[in-house]
Amino acid sequence: MRETIEPEDAPGHARDEMAVSRFVERFAADLTEAGMQRMAARVFAALLVSDAGALTSAELAERLRISPAAVSGAIRYLSQVDMVVREREPGSRRDRYRLYNNEVWYETLTRRDQIVARWESTMRDGAKVLGPGTPAGQRITETADFFEFVQRELPKMLERWRTQKAEHRAAEARQAEAG
């Protein structure tokens, strides 16, 4: 039997929790394949699909069917990379974990830009060591050129994203006013 839950912000729309669970696991697998720790990926995906963007340790453990220790380790990692923050539930001793902000992808890509700059520098040094005329040196130089290209294009792409997001929000506001 499939469990369905009606989202608070969408009355009349039942959410298939099995489908949500499959999505969480699929997205977590994508994140894991990209290099994120498996439990951290699962916890992040679970937070991402929660309407509040925040859950307690117990809620995460129950939804993902994992131990509180696994939740704790995942939260520690996600906190260190600024993807999740810990906050105290008002009037409670329980911690609640929420997505760092609504622009988590923007922030993550911005931090990646710093990593790409370091990689480019390392590749340039490597090309000098290997000799720019050697096959390995040429391969490393091309890699450095790619990282330079990414650094040059990423800020432009992020600016286009901010513009698109602002236009989308303005259109939604106009639509809500027209009503």
Side-chain angles (χ1 to χ4, degrees), residues 76-166:
R76 189 176 322 108
Y77 170 82
L78 292 168
S79 296
Q80 289 171 348
V81 295
D82 294 327
M83 294 180 81
V84 169
V85 294
R86 180 184 317 232
E87 54 190 28
R88 185 69 63 169
E89 276 190 338
S92 170
R93 294 170 147 231
R94 294 180 1 168
D95 285 329
R96 195 165 178 78
Y97 306 102
R98 70 172 173 79
L99 298 174
Y100 179 70
N101 65 33
N102 288 334
E103 294 189 346
V104 69
W105 300 115
Y106 176 86
E107 297 294 330
T108 299
L109 282 174
T110 300
R111 283 191 302 279
R112 290 282 187 233
D113 189 44
Q114 297 163 357
I115 293 168
V116 171
R118 190 170 65 232
W119 290 349
E120 180 202 353
S121 176
T122 300
M123 292 294 117
R124 299 271 180 226
D125 291 345
K128 289 176 192 169
V129 169
L130 295 165
T134 67
Q138 290 172 349
R139 192 169 42 251
I140 297 298
T141 298
E142 186 174 319
T143 301
D145 291 346
F146 172 74
F147 290 148
E148 180 182 17
F149 172 81
V150 168
Q151 287 180 82
R152 197 173 51 246
E153 293 300 313
L154 187 58
K156 296 174 194 173
M157 182 184 70
L158 293 174
E159 183 56 38
R160 287 193 308 270
W161 165 248
R162 282 192 296 267
T163 300
Q164 177 181 316
K165 186 175 167 182

